Structure formats: structure tokens, C-alpha cells
Amino acid sequence: MAEAHQAVAFQFTITPEGVDLQLSYQALSHIYRSGLRSWKKRISRMRNSVIKGVYPASPSSWLFVVIAILSTLYMQSDPSMGLIAKIQEHLPLSLSLSSQGQTMVSALLFSTLLWLSLILTLRFCLKLLLSYHRWMFEQHGRISTATKVWVPLVRLLSGRKPLLYSYQTSLPHLPVPPIKDTLQRYLLSVRPLVSDEEFERLTKLGAEFERNLGNRLQRYLKLKALWATNYVSDWWEEYIYLRGRNSIMVNSNYYGMDFLYVTPTPLQAARAGNTITALLLYRRKVNREELKPSRVPGTVIPLCAAQCERMFNTTRLPGEETDVLQHWHDSDSRSSAFWMTRRHRYPGEEKLGALTAGNRVPWAHVRKQYFSSGVNKRSLDCIDKAAFFVTLDDQEEGMMGDDPEGNLDRYAKSLLHGKCYDRWFDKSFSVVVYKNGKNGLNAEHSWADAPTVAHLWEFALATDAFQLGYTTDGNCRGEVERSLPPPQRLSWEIPAEVQQQEMASLTVAQTLADDVDCHVFPFRDFGKGRIKKLKMSPDGFIQLALQLAYYRNRGGFCLTYEASMTRLFREGRTETVRSCSNESCAFVRALEAGESPEHCKKLFRLAVERHQNLYRLAMTGSGIDRHLFCLYVVSKYLGVESPFLKEVLSEPWRLSTSQTPVQQMELFDLVNHPEYISLGGGFGPVADDGYGVSYIIVGDNMINFHVSCKHSCSETDSHKFGVHIAQALRDLMSVFSTEPKGTAEVSREAKKHM
């Protein structure tokens, strides 16, 4: 801890001969370097503030404007049309400057004002251009004239090398959709899931809501959208995440895995060292804003980078009614601390992490009473302010041994909850390094969504394996930095009352963990390469396979959640794509009924196109669920009840799905090194009687799936559902196969093996 080193930097004793002053040069050197780093950070932040503050222009463009204005004045021409003279008349320094000096100062002021006006104009134009989304709905090869003109204009205004946050002020705000459109889309989404009578009842309920309360709530929501940066995100963070009083372990936090086939080193300490180094290199890039802004794949369209701001040095603090996200901007984190859990433990120390795994209210009470002062507060501050949390796990995990598939499942459960006391679930993310060198992470959900964490993890894996590397004996490459301060052990005073709460929280968490049924499997039959040859979206193809798999598994359809990003807008997070549609249900029924391949192909393409359109609507601010959610929040603030909104928001998502995007393929050479394939990550089930499915499309030939459900539900089984998913993928591909065997026959044969 930095304060500990500063305390021992100066030691003195008073003797009869006087004061004996002793200096610790190692500590002084550490203090000097710490101060130097602090000043470098401040200078870097000031520089970046200027650069991104004038984007899409550059600071040097000011000099160009000044020279242009002065040149025209020198040529006896007034480009200001008299404004320079007006400025000169009101200069407070007119008595102490010559006439020529006054003219020069006036010209500089005018040039600066003109330059700032040009910046605002360029920024406004870029914002208008980024508000144009029709390009997303146009078919390949049928680009409109408007889009053809729009593309070079966007390139022109965003061509200069941007910093990480350069686009933030140019991103459009998320629009509030017309309430009539949202209600129509909602009714269309539930049509295949309800009977005719139920659909008629919902239609009448929706119409009554629109006529009466709905329009009133909509006005308030539009008022919020006028002054809020994003009318959804703050309420979404607070009410969906921070106000949850149950355990965030399994229910909210999610995990990311290591490479599937490769473990760069079998040495736990070496892997931990390289992983921590890679993550701190990423943090440096974030702090210096050196990361390239994320963009829509294959385009120049930027995505919001706001979620990166709280990636490091962030902790979720428990509260009685709501939690709070706390981020420390200037925390150094170069000071080290370690927390012994194997030998010489303080009483109650080993299972202290269980407090973060249990329900939130007991943890809030204990933290307030026993960790708000003294040694406990100092130690807890070290964890809270740390860049991230690291666990050196004493287990071995990964796809290994005689039961590789079963070991993958155990690997997923370990990352999702561990022993329920050896992770710190409140941290923005925690890194886990296992005894055999395998690693992974567990991420808290309220501060950011999976794509942001996935971008970080891709960088860490690639930097660890390909840049930092290891020696032939598995140790880290490079020289040992001897000047680093030694680690300091955290001290605790944990009374019996806290130890009792630890055990109570551990019991809650262990019950939750034992109920989770996880299954991870790589699908190797084909990947996006073969799907794209069919000229269709790989994501739409997989979503249709999930609908088919669920139908075979449960004998019907359900409300399906697929996460879509809204980061085309400032501070955008996610929107729901309701993947179960009339078109997808029609295709599944036709396939299962054994209808002709040609008819199934037609329905198949219609279903995929429908899914893609739903995805585009969600991305461009015309989704259903965030709008309805915000209308519901407004109704609660006004103290009015809406039977329609209450019913809509209580509908269970029995199939919750999410694709983990691969965003930095340039970091991995899967052609020459196909073994460096990421497993992606997953999450726990959303509904007690449903499934959580995460998938990552890696390269052209593999799709990795993570399936979760609960053992306590007799109708769900992650392994059986995994088998259904794999077979559904094969059956969908067989629809477009030239093999003589019919689709229905393939399906019937597949069912015999399930």
C-alpha cells in the first residue's frame, strides 16, 4: 500500500546528540516515481481533453485559421465583415497597445471564435450524419443514392485519427419511438405465443393503454429525452441492476473463458503475472485514450465508448435499498496487496468474499457496521480501489483428462461462482488463474455489457500469448523488476457477528450455485463460413436453430430474448430482439411436419430476414422493451398503475440468448494458429424454468455454446438442450443440402439418438 511506504520513508530518533534522521531511499524512489506518474497522467489528460474537445477538427487547425485571417488582412481585405473592428473597439487594453497590436489581438480573437464556430458546425454535421440509419436496412447491391452520398461524407468528417472518446459528443441521442409503433410491434411479437382469444384481449388492453395513460407517460418520457443524454441507460442501470436485492452471483455476473485448446504455460504464477501485465497495459491504453473507438463491423460508424470509463478501479458498493457504483479516477493500483487464504489466516478471513456472493441487504448492514472505520476500512479500501481482483485458484480447470466435456462444464461453473467465497463479485471484474495455468474472468454486469469486457479479454489473451510470452520452462519472459515495492498483506479484525453473516451468505450462495446446470460445447460441423455461402446472417441462422431446439425440447415456443446493442447512440447499452416471430414459428412447424424442402427453404429465408429486420430495428432505437420499461418507470414515479405495462413486464423470458462478438480478429492468426480459439463466455439462467444460451462464432468453422438452466426445474436440462441445439444446426443446414434424404427424415433419425 502506498501510504505504508510513505510512512516508513522517513524515520527519526531523538538522541542526546540530536535528531538522527534516517531515509529509506527505496521508499523515496517509489514516492518520486509515483508523483512523476501522477503528473504525467494529468498532462496526458489535459492534452487528450483538448484533442477530443475540438474533434472532428484538430488543434493545429486553429493556426491555419489564424494564418488565413491574418493573410487576408495583410492583403487589405476584411473577411470578418467589420467584426474585427467591432472587437477592437471593445478591447480593454486599447490604451496600452499600438493600433497595429490592437488589430492583431482583435484578429486573433475573431479567428478563435471563427474556429470554434467551425468546430461546432462540423460536430453538428457529423451528428446528423451518424443519425442516418437507413443504410442498415438496404440490401447488398441495392444501395440508395442517399447512402452512396452519405458514406464519403462520414469518411471525410471522421477520417482524422480519433482518440477513444473523440466521437462521444457527436453521437446522436437515443430517440423515443412513437408509442403506437411500439405497441404494434409488441402485439406482433406475442402473436405466435398466445391463443386468438388471448391476443384479442391483449389488443384491447394495449389500445386502452394508448388512449388513456400511455400518451401521458409518453409526454413525460419525451421531456426526459430532451435533457438526458440517454433516456434509458440511467434507469436501466439503477432498476435492472443496482436495485436488485438478491445475490448478483449467477443472477447477474457473467464469465469469460481462456483458449479452448491451448494453455500458454502450466505455471500458475507465470500466467497470473502475464495476465495482470496485459490487463494493466490495456488500462494504460484506456487512461491515455489510445484505444481505437469500436465501430460497426465493416464500416466507419463509431460506437459509444462510455462503458470503458468504469472498466478499472470500480466496485459495486452494497446498500439497503440500492447499490452504488463507485469509480476512482486517480487510483494508482501499482501498490500491491495480497490476501492470504491458505495459511496463517485471520479468523473469518477465508470466507470473507462470501459476503459479496449472498443477498445485498445483509452485506450492506455488515459493511456499514464493521467495515466503515479502522483496519477493516483500510483493507477494504484496497480491494475497492484496486484496478481489478485476482484469485489464484487451487483447482485445475479446462478441457482436459478423460472427461473433457464434463471438465468444460465444471470450468464454466467455477468461473460463474467458484467456491462462493473465493471471488469478489462486487469488483468490475475479477481474474481467476488456476493451478494448471488456465485462466478466466468473472464480470459484474451493472457498469457495462459483455462486448466491452470481451474487447478487454481479447486483448489480454492475445497480449499474454503472443507479445509477452513465456520461456521454454514456462516462466515469464523478461527481467525481474527489483525496484517494485514488496506486497503488503491486508489485515482484518472480523468479529463473531461478521463470521456468522459470512456463513449465512455462503449458505444462500451455495444453494444458488448448486442449482446451476452448465453445459459448454464447441460445435465443429460448420461455422459462419458455410452459413454465409447461403447468403444469410449467421446470427439469424443460429437464432432459428435455437427456436427449433427449444420446440423439440419443450414442445412449443416461448418469449425469446436476444441482446442487441444500442451503442450507435450516446451512452447506449442494449435492446431486446424478440427472436420468436410468426415467421420463425411457421418455419419450425413446417420442418417438423415434413413439408417439402422448397417450401421449408422459402419459410427459412423469410424467418431469417425477419430476424435481421428485428435486429436492425433494435440497434437503431426502434425496439420494444426499453421503451415499455421506461414508460413503466414513469408510471411508478407518477404513482399510477397500468395493467397493460404490469402484464407485459412480468412475462418470463424462458429462452435468454446472447452472442459474444469477436471484435479484434487481427490479434489472432486462426489460419496459421487455429488452436488459439476462444471459448467465449456465458451467464446463468434468467428464468427458473428457462435456459440461458450464449454463443461465440469463432472463425469460419466453429461455434461455441454455453447453456445454463436450473437443476430444480424438472423440465430443463442443459445437456439435452445442447444436443438439441447441435442437431438443429445440422438439420437447418440439411434444408439447403443436395442430399436426397428429406429434412423430416433427418429430424426423425436425430430424435432417435436424443
Side-chain angles (χ1 to χ4, degrees):
M1 294 178 286
E3 63 270 21
H5 288 281
Q6 293 174 18
V8 299
F10 304 93
Q11 296 182 4
F12 66 91
T13 56
I14 299 176
T15 67
E17 290 77 19
V19 178
D20 181 17
L21 179 64
Q22 298 176 355
L23 300 178
S24 171
Y25 290 101
Q26 182 181 6
L28 285 174
S29 176
H30 172 68
I31 294 170
Y32 168 75
R33 290 197 303 271
S34 178
L36 189 62
R37 286 194 301 269
S38 178
W39 277 106
K40 286 182 177 179
K41 283 182 181 178
R42 292 177 186 178
I43 294 172
S44 177
R45 286 174 184 168
M46 290 174 60
R47 171 184 169 273
N48 289 342
S49 295
V50 172
I51 293 175
K52 67 187 179 186
V54 302
Y55 196 86
S58 65
S60 60
S61 62
W62 174 81
L63 185 60
F64 175 81
V65 174
V66 170
I67 292 174
I69 296 299
L70 291 177
S71 298
T72 54
L73 287 177
Y74 180 77
M75 297 170 62
Q76 304 299 316
S77 177
D78 184 5
S80 70
M81 295 181 292
L83 287 176
I84 292 178
K86 287 287 185 182
I87 295 174
Q88 187 172 345
E89 291 176 4
H90 294 83
L91 278 180
L93 302 176
S94 57
L95 296 177
S96 59
L97 288 175
S98 65
S99 177
Q100 187 176 3
Q102 293 176 29
T103 303
M104 180 69 71
V105 172
S106 301
L108 287 175
L109 288 174
F110 173 76
S111 300
T112 302
L113 292 173
L114 178 62
W115 178 63
L116 292 174
S117 300
L118 290 172
I119 289 172
L120 293 175
T121 302
L122 289 174
R123 188 175 292 170
F124 178 74
C125 291
L126 182 57
K127 193 169 188 175
L128 285 179
L129 290 171
L130 295 179
S131 301
Y132 175 81
H133 298 131
R134 200 168 73 185
W135 62 273
M136 197 175 293
F137 295 87
E138 294 176 351
Q139 295 182 1
H140 184 70
R142 298 182 181 179
I143 308 300
S144 67
T145 303
T147 301
K148 290 178 181 178
V149 174
W150 170 79
V151 171
L153 288 175
V154 174
R155 291 185 185 276
L156 179 65
L157 286 182
S158 61
R160 195 174 66 81
K161 185 179 179 181
L163 298 176
L164 177 60
Y165 304 119
S166 290
Y167 289 113
Q168 291 303 102
T169 54
S170 299
L171 291 173
H173 288 198
L174 184 69
V176 180
I179 192 169
K180 185 174 184 178
D181 293 351
T182 297
L183 294 177
Q184 287 177 346
R185 293 185 185 117
Y186 166 75
L187 291 171
L188 189 62
S189 72
V190 298
R191 185 63 191 92
L193 305 175
V194 298
S195 64
D196 293 343
E197 294 78 10
E198 180 67 9
F199 182 74
E200 184 178 354
R201 185 186 70 83
L202 284 173
T203 302
K204 292 180 179 178
L205 199 62
E208 181 182 353
F209 170 74
E210 181 185 359
R211 282 195 308 270
N212 301 314
L213 182 60
N215 286 320
R216 179 187 172 196
L217 301 179
Q218 180 80 345
R219 286 193 293 271
Y220 279 99
L221 201 56
K222 286 184 176 180
L223 184 62
K224 183 194 177 185
L226 287 176
W227 58 265
T229 306
N230 188 298
Y231 81 91
V232 174
S233 294
D234 58 338
W235 285 349
W236 186 255
E237 180 179 296
E238 179 180 358
Y239 293 106
I240 298 301
Y241 295 117
L242 296 179
R243 282 188 178 268
R245 301 294 79 202
N246 294 326
S247 169
I248 61 175
M249 184 197 79
V250 176
N251 293 324
S252 180
N253 287 29
Y254 54 95
Y255 65 87
M257 284 185 164
D258 197 0
F259 297 118
L260 175 60
Y261 300 115
V262 174
T263 305
T265 177
L267 303 182
Q268 183 182 38
R271 191 75 195 281
N274 267 12
T275 301
I276 292 171
T277 301
L279 291 169
L280 291 179
L281 287 173
Y282 191 90
R283 188 181 76 146
R284 179 190 293 175
K285 286 181 174 290
V286 171
N287 288 343
R288 295 180 178 178
E289 302 185 34
E290 294 173 349
L291 285 178
K292 295 179 181 178
S294 297
R295 301 177 188 272
V296 176
T299 75
V300 296
I301 310 305
L303 301 175
C304 179
Q307 294 181 34
C308 295
E309 295 175 355
R310 299 181 294 184
M311 183 176 291
F312 296 94
N313 308 101
T314 298
T315 295
R316 175 172 174 165
L317 305 179
E320 295 186 11
E321 294 184 359
T322 181
D323 292 354
V324 176
L325 271 178
Q326 182 69 56
H327 172 68
W328 287 266
H329 289 280
D330 297 316
S331 185
D332 190 348
S333 292
R334 284 187 177 243
S335 316
S336 311
F338 70 91
W339 181 9
M340 292 287 290
T341 59
R342 295 184 182 178
R343 296 179 297 173
H344 309 299
R345 294 186 296 266
Y346 297 107
E349 179 185 4
E350 180 182 15
K351 295 182 171 58
L352 189 61
L355 294 171
T356 70
N359 294 332
R360 305 303 291 174
V361 174
W363 172 211
H365 290 163
V366 166
R367 183 180 174 115
K368 181 179 180 180
Q369 185 172 357
Y370 297 101
F371 292 87
S372 58
S373 63
V375 64
N376 285 348
K377 183 181 188 303
R378 290 193 294 273
S379 294
L380 192 57
D381 280 348
C382 288
I383 297 177
D384 289 342
K385 296 178 181 180
F388 47 89
F389 192 85
V390 179
T391 296
L392 299 179
D393 202 296
D394 56 7
Q395 301 295 317
E396 295 186 356
E397 300 294 349
M399 190 175 70
M400 57 188 183
D402 298 330
D403 183 20
E405 293 185 359
N407 285 330
L408 277 182
D409 299 344
R410 286 184 283 274
Y411 180 22
K413 280 180 66 66
S414 176
L415 288 174
L416 187 60
H417 54 68
K419 298 183 180 71
C420 301
Y421 60 80
D422 55 349
R423 314 279 189 264
W424 200 264
F425 295 101
D426 287 357
K427 286 300 294 179
S428 54
F429 67 93
S430 301
V431 177
V432 183
V433 185
Y434 294 98
K435 186 178 179 181
N436 60 341
K438 214 70 180 172
N439 70 5
L441 62 77
N442 181 287
E444 200 276 318
H445 208 327
S446 63
W447 65 275
D449 302 306
T452 301
V453 177
H455 194 280
L456 159 77
W457 195 234
E458 286 173 12
F459 178 91
L461 290 177
T463 303
D464 167 26
F466 306 133
Q467 295 185 26
L468 300 175
Y470 300 90
T471 61
T472 54
D473 58 358
N475 286 303
C476 299
R477 289 202 306 233
E479 298 297 324
V480 176
E481 179 57 68
R482 307 259 179 211
S483 65
L484 290 175
Q488 303 292 309
R489 178 176 175 172
L490 302 183
S491 300
W492 305 95
E493 294 177 358
I494 305 176
E497 294 84 356
V498 176
Q499 295 179 43
Q500 292 174 3
Q501 184 55 56
E502 287 177 10
M503 299 310 298
S505 296
L506 182 59
T507 300
V508 171
Q510 196 66 60
T511 301
L512 182 60
D514 292 342
D515 197 22
V516 177
D517 178 18
C518 288
H519 181 44
V520 180
F521 67 96
F523 180 80
R524 302 182 180 90
D525 289 24
F526 57 85
K528 70 176 181 182
R530 193 170 169 188
I531 297 173
K532 283 189 172 181
K533 289 181 180 179
L534 302 177
K535 296 182 179 180
M536 64 175 59
S537 157
D539 184 70
F541 187 98
I542 295 171
Q543 284 291 324
L544 213 54
L546 293 176
Q547 291 297 313
L548 177 59
Y550 188 89
Y551 184 84
R552 290 172 174 174
N553 183 256
R554 300 291 293 272
F557 301 103
C558 72
L559 197 60
T560 304
Y561 182 111
E562 182 187 5
S564 163
M565 67 165 185
T566 55
R567 288 168 61 200
L568 289 170
F569 304 95
R570 190 171 180 182
E571 294 185 12
R573 293 203 57 164
T574 61
E575 178 58 273
T576 304
V577 180
R578 294 182 167 228
S579 300
C580 182
S581 63
N582 288 317
E583 291 80 359
S584 67
C585 294
F587 165 73
V588 169
R589 290 192 180 100
L591 184 68
E592 292 298 274
E595 296 188 18
S596 69
E598 288 304 316
H599 182 59
C600 289
K601 284 182 185 180
K602 180 181 178 182
L603 294 178
F604 192 179
R605 291 198 179 277
L606 287 174
V608 172
E609 288 173 8
R610 174 61 179 164
H611 176 269
Q612 279 301 99
N613 192 58
L614 290 172
Y615 205 98
R616 296 183 187 109
L617 288 170
M619 283 185 65
T620 54
S622 296
I624 300 168
D625 291 276
R626 300 302 177 269
H627 186 198
L628 294 177
F629 161 76
C630 288
L631 290 171
Y632 180 75
V633 174
V634 174
S635 73
K636 287 299 180 182
Y637 276 128
L638 296 178
V640 295
E641 289 293 330
S642 168
F644 174 75
L645 290 176
K646 186 175 181 180
E647 183 169 341
V648 168
L649 295 174
S650 64
E651 294 171 342
W653 300 97
R654 292 192 173 90
L655 183 56
S656 181
T657 72
S658 179
Q659 179 186 172
T660 303
V662 180
Q663 304 161 82
Q664 305 169 92
M665 283 302 295
E666 71 277 4
L667 299 180
F668 304 93
D669 183 3
L670 296 183
V671 176
N672 296 317
H673 299 284
E675 67 275 16
Y676 286 94
I677 288 177
S678 172
L679 265 168
F683 52 89
V686 174
D688 291 338
D689 59 346
Y691 291 106
V693 181
S694 175
Y695 53 93
I696 180 171
I697 305 172
V698 186
D700 287 335
N701 302 306
M702 180 179 285
I703 308 169
N704 291 327
F705 287 90
H706 300 249
V707 182
S708 66
C709 63
K710 292 191 174 183
H711 290 295
S712 55
C713 178
S714 60
E715 298 180 355
T716 57
D717 186 306
S718 66
H719 292 75
K720 287 183 179 179
F721 193 53
V723 173
H724 280 296
I725 292 173
Q727 191 57 50
L729 288 167
R730 298 186 192 102
D731 289 352
L732 292 191
M733 187 58 71
S734 71
V735 171
F736 292 89
S737 174
T738 57
E739 296 176 6
K741 185 180 293 188
T743 302
E745 185 179 349
V746 172
S747 299
R748 286 192 294 271
E749 287 187 4
K751 290 178 182 178
K752 294 178 182 178
H753 302 285
M754 294 182 182

